[in-house]
Amino acid sequence: NKEKESIAVDLDGTIFDNNGKPLENCIEVLNKLHDKYKLSIYTARFDNTPKEDWQSLIKELEFLLKSNNVPFDEISIIKPTCKWYIDNRGINYGQNSWKDIEALILNSQEDTITEEGPQGKEPENPLEKAKATGSGTLVEEQITDSTFNILYK
């Protein structure tokens, strides 16, 4: 049995809006991703929580996720090592919706990308080009907290 690769997903502003409601298409897409990937949920909430209160915070977060039918395999107190990161505060490569994220991850050609790009061709998509070349220098002119980004490790 091959272990599933991981996707790390930020909680606040990525899964849930500022009112604690799941973002549009989020749960549907996370369920599809969960079929193929291990989902690790992480949050900065632990940064301002005393260590002795972490266990109760984890229980609170488990309740929040389960009561909203958000699939997950673990809750992490730090940003875990993984194949994909989905985080609303990363450098933005475009106005990505949850459907854009689904298409990018589930349709990725990551196994065939070489230094020259997929199948030896220059990637057309700037996100794939950055991944294929190992370049982390691609930056959009407009970055907002309401947009998503997928970061590569």
mmCIF file of all heavy atoms in Angstrom, residues 7-35:
data_model
loop_
_atom_site.group_PDB
_atom_site.id
_atom_site.type_symbol
_atom_site.label_atom_id
_atom_site.label_comp_id
_atom_site.label_asym_id
_atom_site.label_seq_id
_atom_site.Cartn_x
_atom_site.Cartn_y
_atom_site.Cartn_z
ATOM 1 N N ILE A 7 -1.583 17.129 1.178
ATOM 2 C CA ILE A 7 -1.911 18.517 0.879
ATOM 3 C C ILE A 7 -2.142 19.192 2.226
ATOM 4 O O ILE A 7 -2.895 18.682 3.055
ATOM 5 C CB ILE A 7 -3.186 18.645 0.020
ATOM 6 C CG1 ILE A 7 -2.976 18.008 -1.351
ATOM 7 C CG2 ILE A 7 -3.588 20.112 -0.127
ATOM 8 C CD1 ILE A 7 -4.225 18.003 -2.227
ATOM 9 N N ALA A 8 -1.484 20.331 2.440
ATOM 10 C CA ALA A 8 -1.702 21.111 3.652
ATOM 11 C C ALA A 8 -2.633 22.268 3.306
ATOM 12 O O ALA A 8 -2.416 22.975 2.324
ATOM 13 C CB ALA A 8 -0.382 21.636 4.198
ATOM 14 N N VAL A 9 -3.673 22.434 4.106
ATOM 15 C CA VAL A 9 -4.679 23.458 3.847
ATOM 16 C C VAL A 9 -4.804 24.349 5.073
ATOM 17 O O VAL A 9 -5.033 23.866 6.186
ATOM 18 C CB VAL A 9 -6.054 22.830 3.523
ATOM 19 C CG1 VAL A 9 -7.052 23.899 3.106
ATOM 20 C CG2 VAL A 9 -5.935 21.758 2.446
ATOM 21 N N ASP A 10 -4.651 25.648 4.848
ATOM 22 C CA ASP A 10 -4.839 26.617 5.924
ATOM 23 C C ASP A 10 -6.317 26.674 6.284
ATOM 24 O O ASP A 10 -7.185 26.494 5.431
ATOM 25 C CB ASP A 10 -4.345 27.991 5.455
ATOM 26 C CG ASP A 10 -4.501 29.061 6.513
ATOM 27 O OD1 ASP A 10 -4.246 28.778 7.700
ATOM 28 O OD2 ASP A 10 -4.881 30.186 6.151
ATOM 29 N N LEU A 11 -6.610 26.941 7.542
ATOM 30 C CA LEU A 11 -7.990 26.936 8.025
ATOM 31 C C LEU A 11 -8.696 28.267 7.791
ATOM 32 O O LEU A 11 -9.661 28.353 7.031
ATOM 33 C CB LEU A 11 -7.999 26.596 9.518
ATOM 34 C CG LEU A 11 -9.358 26.480 10.175
ATOM 35 C CD1 LEU A 11 -10.064 25.223 9.729
ATOM 36 C CD2 LEU A 11 -9.192 26.469 11.689
ATOM 37 N N ASP A 12 -8.211 29.320 8.422
ATOM 38 C CA ASP A 12 -8.900 30.611 8.411
ATOM 39 C C ASP A 12 -8.611 31.389 7.133
ATOM 40 O O ASP A 12 -7.461 31.610 6.777
ATOM 41 C CB ASP A 12 -8.486 31.430 9.634
ATOM 42 C CG ASP A 12 -8.879 30.738 10.929
ATOM 43 O OD1 ASP A 12 -10.068 30.410 11.071
ATOM 44 O OD2 ASP A 12 -7.998 30.518 11.783
ATOM 45 N N GLY A 13 -9.670 31.790 6.452
ATOM 46 C CA GLY A 13 -9.533 32.545 5.217
ATOM 47 C C GLY A 13 -9.342 31.670 3.991
ATOM 48 O O GLY A 13 -9.374 32.159 2.871
ATOM 49 N N THR A 14 -9.145 30.385 4.206
ATOM 50 C CA THR A 14 -8.962 29.459 3.089
ATOM 51 C C THR A 14 -10.106 28.445 3.051
ATOM 52 O O THR A 14 -10.728 28.255 2.018
ATOM 53 C CB THR A 14 -7.599 28.737 3.194
ATOM 54 O OG1 THR A 14 -6.566 29.719 3.257
ATOM 55 C CG2 THR A 14 -7.360 27.833 2.006
ATOM 56 N N ILE A 15 -10.368 27.798 4.185
ATOM 57 C CA ILE A 15 -11.521 26.896 4.283
ATOM 58 C C ILE A 15 -12.744 27.687 4.742
ATOM 59 O O ILE A 15 -13.818 27.566 4.181
ATOM 60 C CB ILE A 15 -11.241 25.729 5.252
ATOM 61 C CG1 ILE A 15 -10.094 24.865 4.721
ATOM 62 C CG2 ILE A 15 -12.506 24.889 5.454
ATOM 63 C CD1 ILE A 15 -9.673 23.754 5.664
ATOM 64 N N PHE A 16 -12.547 28.521 5.767
ATOM 65 C CA PHE A 16 -13.643 29.295 6.351
ATOM 66 C C PHE A 16 -13.443 30.784 6.130
ATOM 67 O O PHE A 16 -12.315 31.278 6.169
ATOM 68 C CB PHE A 16 -13.743 29.032 7.859
ATOM 69 C CG PHE A 16 -14.123 27.616 8.195
ATOM 70 C CD1 PHE A 16 -13.162 26.711 8.594
ATOM 71 C CD2 PHE A 16 -15.435 27.192 8.099
ATOM 72 C CE1 PHE A 16 -13.498 25.394 8.899
ATOM 73 C CE2 PHE A 16 -15.787 25.886 8.399
ATOM 74 C CZ PHE A 16 -14.815 24.983 8.804
ATOM 75 N N ASP A 17 -14.565 31.494 5.923
ATOM 76 C CA ASP A 17 -14.497 32.951 5.817
ATOM 77 C C ASP A 17 -14.415 33.562 7.220
ATOM 78 O O ASP A 17 -14.366 32.832 8.224
ATOM 79 C CB ASP A 17 -15.682 33.506 5.009
ATOM 80 C CG ASP A 17 -17.039 33.299 5.684
ATOM 81 O OD1 ASP A 17 -17.108 33.020 6.897
ATOM 82 O OD2 ASP A 17 -18.055 33.431 4.973
ATOM 83 N N ASN A 18 -14.450 34.873 7.296
ATOM 84 C CA ASN A 18 -14.328 35.563 8.593
ATOM 85 C C ASN A 18 -15.524 35.341 9.509
ATOM 86 O O ASN A 18 -15.446 35.630 10.697
ATOM 87 C CB ASN A 18 -14.127 37.064 8.364
ATOM 88 C CG ASN A 18 -12.793 37.365 7.734
ATOM 89 O OD1 ASN A 18 -11.846 36.602 7.859
ATOM 90 N ND2 ASN A 18 -12.720 38.476 7.029
ATOM 91 N N ASN A 19 -16.629 34.837 8.967
ATOM 92 C CA ASN A 19 -17.815 34.548 9.774
ATOM 93 C C ASN A 19 -17.911 33.073 10.152
ATOM 94 O O ASN A 19 -18.928 32.630 10.674
ATOM 95 C CB ASN A 19 -19.080 34.965 9.011
ATOM 96 C CG ASN A 19 -19.106 36.453 8.759
ATOM 97 O OD1 ASN A 19 -18.791 37.248 9.643
ATOM 98 N ND2 ASN A 19 -19.462 36.843 7.548
ATOM 99 N N GLY A 20 -16.870 32.296 9.844
ATOM 100 C CA GLY A 20 -16.864 30.882 10.194
ATOM 101 C C GLY A 20 -17.664 29.999 9.258
ATOM 102 O O GLY A 20 -17.968 28.857 9.593
ATOM 103 N N LYS A 21 -17.992 30.504 8.083
ATOM 104 C CA LYS A 21 -18.730 29.722 7.090
ATOM 105 C C LYS A 21 -17.751 29.173 6.049
ATOM 106 O O LYS A 21 -16.846 29.886 5.618
ATOM 107 C CB LYS A 21 -19.772 30.595 6.377
ATOM 108 C CG LYS A 21 -20.772 31.237 7.306
ATOM 109 C CD LYS A 21 -21.719 30.221 7.860
ATOM 110 C CE LYS A 21 -22.751 30.892 8.748
ATOM 111 N NZ LYS A 21 -23.370 29.984 9.660
ATOM 112 N N PRO A 22 -17.934 27.920 5.609
ATOM 113 C CA PRO A 22 -17.060 27.369 4.563
ATOM 114 C C PRO A 22 -17.182 28.185 3.276
ATOM 115 O O PRO A 22 -18.279 28.613 2.909
ATOM 116 C CB PRO A 22 -17.578 25.950 4.358
ATOM 117 C CG PRO A 22 -18.332 25.620 5.603
ATOM 118 C CD PRO A 22 -18.900 26.924 6.091
ATOM 119 N N LEU A 23 -16.062 28.399 2.606
ATOM 120 C CA LEU A 23 -16.049 29.133 1.350
ATOM 121 C C LEU A 23 -16.698 28.315 0.238
ATOM 122 O O LEU A 23 -16.726 27.076 0.292
ATOM 123 C CB LEU A 23 -14.625 29.515 0.976
ATOM 124 C CG LEU A 23 -13.976 30.523 1.930
ATOM 125 C CD1 LEU A 23 -12.505 30.712 1.580
ATOM 126 C CD2 LEU A 23 -14.690 31.854 1.893
ATOM 127 N N GLU A 24 -17.197 29.001 -0.765
ATOM 128 C CA GLU A 24 -17.901 28.367 -1.879
ATOM 129 C C GLU A 24 -17.056 27.268 -2.526
ATOM 130 O O GLU A 24 -15.882 27.477 -2.818
ATOM 131 C CB GLU A 24 -18.250 29.423 -2.934
ATOM 132 C CG GLU A 24 -19.049 28.880 -4.088
ATOM 133 C CD GLU A 24 -19.417 29.950 -5.108
ATOM 134 O OE1 GLU A 24 -19.028 31.122 -4.939
ATOM 135 O OE2 GLU A 24 -20.095 29.604 -6.073
ATOM 136 N N ASN A 25 -17.644 26.119 -2.723
ATOM 137 C CA ASN A 25 -17.045 24.933 -3.361
ATOM 138 C C ASN A 25 -15.931 24.275 -2.537
ATOM 139 O O ASN A 25 -15.400 23.254 -2.943
ATOM 140 C CB ASN A 25 -16.510 25.253 -4.765
ATOM 141 C CG ASN A 25 -17.593 25.703 -5.702
ATOM 142 O OD1 ASN A 25 -18.645 25.106 -5.761
ATOM 143 N ND2 ASN A 25 -17.339 26.778 -6.429
ATOM 144 N N CYS A 26 -15.591 24.839 -1.409
ATOM 145 C CA CYS A 26 -14.465 24.326 -0.623
ATOM 146 C C CYS A 26 -14.645 22.862 -0.222
ATOM 147 O O CYS A 26 -13.767 22.038 -0.463
ATOM 148 C CB CYS A 26 -14.278 25.205 0.613
ATOM 149 S SG CYS A 26 -13.077 24.574 1.772
ATOM 150 N N ILE A 27 -15.755 22.545 0.411
ATOM 151 C CA ILE A 27 -15.956 21.187 0.929
ATOM 152 C C ILE A 27 -16.044 20.185 -0.209
ATOM 153 O O ILE A 27 -15.447 19.109 -0.145
ATOM 154 C CB ILE A 27 -17.182 21.138 1.857
ATOM 155 C CG1 ILE A 27 -16.907 22.010 3.089
ATOM 156 C CG2 ILE A 27 -17.516 19.708 2.257
ATOM 157 C CD1 ILE A 27 -18.093 22.248 3.971
ATOM 158 N N GLU A 28 -16.735 20.544 -1.281
ATOM 159 C CA GLU A 28 -16.841 19.673 -2.454
ATOM 160 C C GLU A 28 -15.452 19.357 -3.016
ATOM 161 O O GLU A 28 -15.122 18.193 -3.288
ATOM 162 C CB GLU A 28 -17.693 20.363 -3.528
ATOM 163 C CG GLU A 28 -17.745 19.622 -4.842
ATOM 164 C CD GLU A 28 -18.378 20.453 -5.962
ATOM 165 O OE1 GLU A 28 -18.961 21.515 -5.702
ATOM 166 O OE2 GLU A 28 -18.261 20.016 -7.111
ATOM 167 N N VAL A 29 -14.622 20.377 -3.175
ATOM 168 C CA VAL A 29 -13.281 20.177 -3.737
ATOM 169 C C VAL A 29 -12.404 19.407 -2.759
ATOM 170 O O VAL A 29 -11.672 18.494 -3.158
ATOM 171 C CB VAL A 29 -12.646 21.526 -4.132
ATOM 172 C CG1 VAL A 29 -11.182 21.342 -4.527
ATOM 173 C CG2 VAL A 29 -13.435 22.176 -5.264
ATOM 174 N N LEU A 30 -12.458 19.743 -1.476
ATOM 175 C CA LEU A 30 -11.649 19.008 -0.499
ATOM 176 C C LEU A 30 -12.029 17.532 -0.470
ATOM 177 O O LEU A 30 -11.157 16.675 -0.313
ATOM 178 C CB LEU A 30 -11.782 19.630 0.890
ATOM 179 C CG LEU A 30 -11.040 20.947 1.089
ATOM 180 C CD1 LEU A 30 -11.344 21.526 2.468
ATOM 181 C CD2 LEU A 30 -9.539 20.777 0.894
ATOM 182 N N ASN A 31 -13.299 17.204 -0.638
ATOM 183 C CA ASN A 31 -13.697 15.792 -0.700
ATOM 184 C C ASN A 31 -13.064 15.094 -1.895
ATOM 185 O O ASN A 31 -12.596 13.961 -1.784
ATOM 186 C CB ASN A 31 -15.224 15.666 -0.736
ATOM 187 C CG ASN A 31 -15.830 15.690 0.642
ATOM 188 O OD1 ASN A 31 -15.427 14.943 1.522
ATOM 189 N ND2 ASN A 31 -16.779 16.574 0.849
ATOM 190 N N LYS A 32 -13.033 15.754 -3.041
ATOM 191 C CA LYS A 32 -12.396 15.167 -4.228
ATOM 192 C C LYS A 32 -10.897 15.006 -4.017
ATOM 193 O O LYS A 32 -10.313 13.983 -4.385
ATOM 194 C CB LYS A 32 -12.669 16.026 -5.456
ATOM 195 C CG LYS A 32 -14.107 15.964 -5.920
ATOM 196 C CD LYS A 32 -14.355 16.862 -7.113
ATOM 197 C CE LYS A 32 -15.808 16.846 -7.517
ATOM 198 N NZ LYS A 32 -16.077 17.754 -8.641
ATOM 199 N N LEU A 33 -10.267 16.017 -3.430
ATOM 200 C CA LEU A 33 -8.829 15.929 -3.166
ATOM 201 C C LEU A 33 -8.531 14.837 -2.146
ATOM 202 O O LEU A 33 -7.524 14.132 -2.253
ATOM 203 C CB LEU A 33 -8.295 17.274 -2.677
ATOM 204 C CG LEU A 33 -8.355 18.430 -3.669
ATOM 205 C CD1 LEU A 33 -7.893 19.726 -3.009
ATOM 206 C CD2 LEU A 33 -7.547 18.142 -4.923
ATOM 207 N N HIS A 34 -9.424 14.677 -1.168
ATOM 208 C CA HIS A 34 -9.229 13.692 -0.115
ATOM 209 C C HIS A 34 -9.269 12.262 -0.654
ATOM 210 O O HIS A 34 -8.700 11.349 -0.059
ATOM 211 C CB HIS A 34 -10.292 13.883 0.976
ATOM 212 C CG HIS A 34 -9.984 13.181 2.236
ATOM 213 N ND1 HIS A 34 -10.858 12.287 2.812
ATOM 214 C CD2 HIS A 34 -8.897 13.216 3.051
ATOM 215 C CE1 HIS A 34 -10.331 11.811 3.924
ATOM 216 N NE2 HIS A 34 -9.142 12.348 4.089
ATOM 217 N N ASP A 35 -9.909 12.064 -1.793
ATOM 218 C CA ASP A 35 -9.900 10.745 -2.421
ATOM 219 C C ASP A 35 -8.494 10.323 -2.827
ATOM 220 O O ASP A 35 -8.175 9.137 -2.845
ATOM 221 C CB ASP A 35 -10.802 10.727 -3.665
ATOM 222 C CG ASP A 35 -12.277 10.802 -3.327
ATOM 223 O OD1 ASP A 35 -12.646 10.531 -2.166
ATOM 224 O OD2 ASP A 35 -13.059 11.152 -4.229
#
